[in-house]
Amino acid sequence: MRPSEPVPPRVVVGVDGSPSSYTALRWADRYARTVGGVVEAVHVWDTPATGGWGGAPAMEPGFDLEQARERFAQSLSAVFPDGRPVGMRELLVEGDPSEALIRASQGAEILVVGRRGRGAFARAVLGSVSQRCAQHAACPVVVVRGEPDTKR
């Protein structure tokens, strides 16, 4: 029997088309390269959403799978214009963003999410994906600010 090869660490990152998610994706890519891991980019689309979970423009009712797929591809191309990292996995999931990311965190090395920076009132009323992930994920969570960063 052949010994199984080690599984590379999964670095899960939420991507919603917002500047903070772009920063999170770049951070996740750098981290994955550091630990010999693989990036698992997760884009969650929620048809009845009234706004993006990381500051992205609102999706109108009737937002369909094809539109979500295109938005995800545009986000990945914006961050990696010369091509996606080798081995990067892309997951397109319908549902609540925080629940989908918490599920994706099972067995992951780390979960990376962007931070929109809403005020305390909006956070209390609407909840925060990054806050919910930090409280409930099955692995450590890194919350990155949406400030511009350099492409290193």
Side-chain angles (χ1 to χ4, degrees):
M1 183 185 276
R2 220 167 111 185
S4 61
E5 293 186 27
V7 177
R10 282 177 44 240
V11 179
V12 177
V13 57
V15 180
D16 70 354
S18 68
S20 65
S21 76
Y22 290 1
T23 304
L25 185 52
R26 287 183 192 105
W27 193 98
D29 178 52
R30 286 190 302 266
Y31 181 81
R33 283 187 276 131
T34 301
V35 299
V38 62
V39 173
E40 187 170 285
V42 180
H43 180 80
V44 184
W45 65 290
D46 189 4
T47 305
T50 57
W53 54 273
M59 295 182 204
E60 286 97 37
F63 196 81
D64 65 18
L65 175 61
E66 201 50 48
Q67 290 170 307
R69 190 174 283 135
E70 184 170 319
R71 180 185 218 171
F72 190 23
Q74 288 171 349
S75 295
L76 296 175
S77 293
V79 175
F80 303 113
D82 297 327
R84 294 171 177 90
V86 174
M88 186 171 97
R89 299 177 189 145
E90 302 169 19
L91 287 156
L92 183 61
V93 181
E94 182 179 13
D96 176 76
S98 55
E99 290 175 15
L101 291 170
I102 290 166
R103 275 193 312 274
S105 75
Q106 295 291 325
E109 168 90 5
I110 195 164
L111 170 62
V112 185
V113 293
R115 181 177 147 241
R116 181 174 180 178
R118 288 187 178 141
F121 178 75
R123 202 169 36 250
V125 172
L126 302 173
S128 163
V129 171
S130 58
Q131 183 177 8
R132 287 184 67 199
C133 287
Q135 292 173 334
H136 301 289
C139 63
V141 177
V142 172
V143 180
V144 296
R145 297 177 59 102
E147 298 172 351
D149 70 342
T150 58
K151 292 182 185 179
R152 294 181 196 158

